[in-house]
Amino acid sequence: MHRPTFRQAHGQRIFQFILLLGMAACVYFVAQYVKQRLDSQGIATGFGFLWDRAGYNLGESLIPYDGDDSYGRALLAGFSNTLKVAVAAIFFSLFLGFVAAVAMLSGHRTAERIAKLYVRVVRNTPVLLQLFFWFGIFTVSMPAPRETYSPLPHLYISNRGINFPAPDGTAWAVIAIVVAVLLAAFWLSNQRRQAGKSGSWIFLLSTLGCASLMILLTRAGVIAFEYPAAGRFSINGGATISPEFLTILIGLSVYTGTYIAEVLRGAVESISTGQMEAAQALGLSQGQGLRLVVLPQATRVAMPAVVSELLNLVKNSSLGVAVGYPELVSAGNTAMNQTGQAIELIAIYMLFYVTLNYVITKLSHVLEARYEW
Amino acid sequence: MTPLKTTLAMASICAAGLATMAQADLISTIKDRGELTCGVHPGLVGFGAPDENGAWQGLDPDFCRAFAIAILGEPSVKFVPLSAQARFTALQNGEIDVLAQNSTMTLTRDAGLGLNFPMFNFYDGQGLMIRADLGVTDAKELDGASVCIQQGTTSEYVVRNFFTDLGITFKPVVIESGTEFFSAFFANRCDVITSDLSQLAVVRLTSDDPSQYVVLEDIMAKSPLGPVVRGDDKDFMDVVKWVVYATLTAEELDITADNVEDMKNENNADIQKFLGVTPGVGEPLGLDDDWVANVISSLGNYSEIFERNVGQDSPLGLERGQNALWRDGGLMYSPLF
C-alpha cells in the first residue's frame, strides 16, 4: 500500500467529512420520519419511561432489584444477568472447545470419535432447539422439589435448581483474602521457578495453610453459612443456581464449544508439519515443540475466529427469553409489553450488546498483541 | 467503490428509509384482497387453535370469520398465529388487519400503542392454578411459591401487585414461549401458574389428569378481552364493533343461525331493519344491508358462538357467567341498531 500524498489525503478527508455529514443527516431524517409516523399513529415515544416504576419482578438478578424500582433499573438488572451468564459461558465453552480440540488432535481413536460426534451433532442443530432440550433436562427430568436429590449434606438438586450453603459477609471477606494470598503465592512460586529455584513448595504450603485456616474459622463459628432448608413449596435459603441459568449456561457453552473446538483444531493443523520437524531437529521434545513452536503460532491464527465465536455467544444469550432466564432481552420485553416503546427498547438492547462486545473485542486485541512478532 | 457510487448507494438507502407506505382505507383494501387477515392465538383450545384438518376453531377465529362475512359476504380469513409478545407489533405494522387473540384491554394498549379496543367479546379474570396435592385453598398461603408467568401478558404486573398487597413473596418464572410455559408448570418447575381463568380451564382440561390441579377462587384482576384494531381507521373499527354488537342483539331478539330466514318475514320493524329487509344497517358502515343476516346465518348469535366453542357444547363447558346478556344478569349489553 502506498502512502497517499498530502493532496490526496486532504481530498479524502474532505470527502469523508461530507460522507459523515450526509450519513448524520440521513439518520436524522429517518428518526424524524419515524417519530412523525409514530405520533400520527398515536404511539408513545421517548425515553422518559426509563424512570417510571416498572412494577414487575425478575426471577433473579446480580444487582438488587425489586418491582418498585424503575424500568431503567430493571434493564440494568437484566443486563447484570446477561453479564453473569456470558462470562460463565465464555469460560465453559473455551474449556469444552479446548478439550474437544485436544481429543480430535490426540490421535487416540476413541477420543477422536467421541469429539467428532459431539461437534457434528451439536454444531448441526439449531441452538434454540438445544436450549429447549436442556430446559427439558433441568425442569422435567430433574426430581420435583419434594423428592430433592441430595448427594452431599446441605446440597440439594431439584427442578427448582441447585441449592447450597451460602457464605455470610465475614465468610466472603475471608474467601477474598484467601484468593488474594493464593494468587500471590502462585506468582511468587512462578517467579522463583523462572529464576531456576524450586518454588512449588510456597504454593503448596499456602494452600494447606489457607485450607486449615478456613476449617478452623468455620469450626470456631467466626464464619458461618446460611444453609438451605425445605420450605412449604421448595428448598428455601442458602444460595441457588436456577434451572433457567443452568439451561442457558450449559446450552450456550456446549453449542459454542463445538465452534471453538473446530477453530482450534484448524489452527493447529494449519501450522505446517515442518515446524514440528524443525523443532525436533533442534533437540526439542514433542511436548516442548508443541508448547514453544506450534501452539504460539496456532494461537495467533485461532484468536480472531475464537473471539468472533465468543461475540456470537454473548449475542445468543438473548435466547434466555425463550427459557425464562431474566436477561436483558427478557427484562426489556416485559417493559416493551407494558409501555409499548419497542423502538426505544431495541435501541437500548443494541447499545448494551454493542458496548459489551466492543469491550470483549478490545480485550482480545490486547491479548492478540502479545502474540505479535 | 468510487465516491460517486458511494454517494448513490447512500442516497438510495436514505430514500428507501423515507419511502412512505401508501395507506388506503382498510375496508376497500380487504375487499380488493378478497381476504381478511386476522391474528389469533397459536393454540388455545376453545379460543383459537387449529383442528385436526388444520382449520382454525374457537371463539376468536369465529369472530374473525364474522368480520370477514360482514365485509366480504363470505368467511375468507387468513389466520396468523401470534405469540403474546408479538401480537401488538404485528397489528401495529400492518401484518394483520385485526387481532383476536384473548387480548386484555389496558390503558397503555388502548391509548399508548396506537391501537383501539372497539368492544369486549369476553369478560374474564386473572386467576391462579395450583397442584391439588399442595393443599392450598387460599392465595394467602402461597408465601414463597414459584409462579409461572407468560411474557407479553398483563400477568407480570398483576401478580406482583396481588402478592405485594397480600404481604407475601413469590418467585417469578417468566417464559415467553406458550408451550414451555405450560410444560414448566406441569413439570413442577412452578407451584402456581397464572393466566386468565378461561385459559386456566383450558390448560387444566388438556393436562394428563385434570383432578391433580385446582383453580383457586381468588380473582387477581379483571380481564376484559376483545378484538383489537389499529387506531387510524375509524370505519374498520366501527365494523368490528358493530359485528360483535350484532351477535349480541341477535341473541336478544332470539335470532339464530337456523331461524334467520324465517325471522326476515317477522312482522317487526326492528327485526326487519336489523336483518336488512328494510334498508338502514349497511349504509353507515359502508356495507351491504344484509351483512347482519349473513353473519348470523353462517355463525349464529353470540350464545351459539359461545356454547359451540367454550360453553356447554364444547369440552370446556364454561358457564356464561359474566358473559351472559344483561337481561340474564351478565355484562353483555348491545346498543340499539
Side-chain angles (χ1 to χ4, degrees), chain A residues 15 19 22-23 26 29-30 33 37 41-44 53-59 66-68 132 135 139-140 144-146 159-160 232-236 242-244 321-325 329-331 333-334 336-341, chain B residues 3 6-7 10 14 17-21 23 85 88 92 108-109 111-114 130 133-136 141-146 151-154 156-157 160-161 170-177 180 183-184 187-191 232:
Chain A
F15 179 70
L19 188 76
M23 278 163 81
C26 186
F29 282 125
V30 170
Y33 172 70
R37 283 276 302 171
Q41 283 189 30
I43 299 173
R53 177 179 174 277
Y56 59 93
N57 285 9
L58 296 178
D66 176 77
D68 280 328
F132 286 146
F135 188 65
T139 58
V140 182
R146 287 180 173 186
N159 66 1
R160 301 299 168 83
R232 172 156 188 186
F233 295 106
S234 56
I235 310 292
N236 292 328
S242 72
E244 290 77 26
V321 66
V323 291
Y325 181 65
V329 175
S330 175
N333 278 5
T334 303
M336 199 188 288
N337 175 50
Q338 284 183 189
T339 62
Q341 292 182 292
Chain B
T6 320
T7 317
M10 212 180 67
C14 217
L18 288 170
T20 47
M21 279 190 295
Q23 271 206 330
Q85 181 72 31
F88 296 116
Q92 281 173 335
T108 316
R109 288 175 180 176
L113 299 186
I130 187 160
D133 61 2
L134 285 170
V136 173
E141 300 167 42
L142 289 175
D143 196 13
S146 301
Q151 191 164 51
T153 63
T154 47
E156 291 163 273
Y157 192 79
R160 183 181 188 276
N161 286 354
F170 72 104
K171 295 172 201 151
V173 181
V174 181
I175 300 175
E176 188 193 353
S177 149
E180 305 305 312
S183 74
N188 210 342
R189 170 64 187 93
C190 333
D191 307 294
D232 59 2

Side-chain angles (χ1 to χ4, degrees), chain A residues 116-159:
Chain A
K116 282 222 164 114
L117 184 74
Y118 157 61
V119 170
R120 271 192 201 137
V121 171
V122 175
R123 200 168 61 151
N124 293 331
T125 45
V127 64
L128 185 63
L129 210 69
Q130 290 181 32
L131 287 178
F132 286 146
F133 168 78
W134 293 108
F135 188 65
I137 297 278
F138 289 115
T139 58
V140 182
S141 309
M142 288 285 180
R146 287 180 173 186
E147 296 126 29
T148 303
Y149 169 63
S150 186
L152 287 171
H154 306 301
L155 176 72
Y156 302 94
I157 299 176
S158 71
N159 66 1

Side-chain angles (χ1 to χ4, degrees), chain B residues 78-142:
Chain B
K78 183 182 162 201
F79 292 101
V80 181
L82 291 168
S83 76
Q85 181 72 31
R87 55 189 168 175
F88 296 116
T89 320
L91 182 60
Q92 281 173 335
N93 65 24
E95 194 184 330
I96 52 174
D97 300 324
V98 54
L99 175 73
Q101 203 256 42
N102 270 55
S103 308
T104 309
M105 175 168 170
T106 65
L107 174 72
T108 316
R109 288 175 180 176
D110 191 54
L113 299 186
L115 303 179
N116 223 312
F117 287 70
M119 71 115 19
F120 307 126
N121 66 352
F122 196 91
Y123 291 95
D124 213 332
Q126 198 188 326
L128 298 162
M129 183 162 77
I130 187 160
R131 335 185 70 78
D133 61 2
L134 285 170
V136 173
T137 51
D138 191 329
K140 289 191 189 72
E141 300 167 42
L142 289 175

Side-chain angles (χ1 to χ4, degrees), chain A residues 85-220:
Chain A
V85 79
V87 169
I90 282 175
F91 280 105
F92 268 99
S93 59
L94 283 175
F95 174 75
L96 274 176
F98 183 75
V99 170
V102 167
M104 282 192 284
L105 293 166
S106 65
H108 187 286
R109 291 283 290 274
T110 320
E112 200 181 321
R113 275 194 192 149
I114 292 174
K116 282 222 164 114
L117 184 74
Y118 157 61
V119 170
R120 271 192 201 137
V121 171
V122 175
R123 200 168 61 151
N124 293 331
T125 45
V127 64
L128 185 63
L129 210 69
Q130 290 181 32
L131 287 178
F132 286 146
F133 168 78
W134 293 108
F135 188 65
I137 297 278
F138 289 115
T139 58
V140 182
S141 309
M142 288 285 180
R146 287 180 173 186
E147 296 126 29
T148 303
Y149 169 63
S150 186
L152 287 171
H154 306 301
L155 176 72
Y156 302 94
I157 299 176
S158 71
N159 66 1
R160 301 299 168 83
I162 301 173
N163 295 68
F164 55 92
D168 66 358
T170 353
W172 276 119
V174 173
I175 289 172
I177 293 169
V178 165
V179 169
V181 167
L182 288 183
L183 279 178
F186 185 70
W187 181 77
L188 204 70
S189 66
N190 241 2
Q191 290 290 101
R192 281 182 66 93
R193 206 178 304 137
Q194 272 176 9
K197 299 174 206 162
S198 95
S200 328
W201 60 273
I202 299 185
F203 188 63
L204 214 73
L205 207 68
S206 43
T207 311
L208 274 174
C210 286
S212 38
L213 181 77
M214 290 276 279
I215 294 169
L216 208 72
L217 286 175
T218 314
R219 282 286 151 102

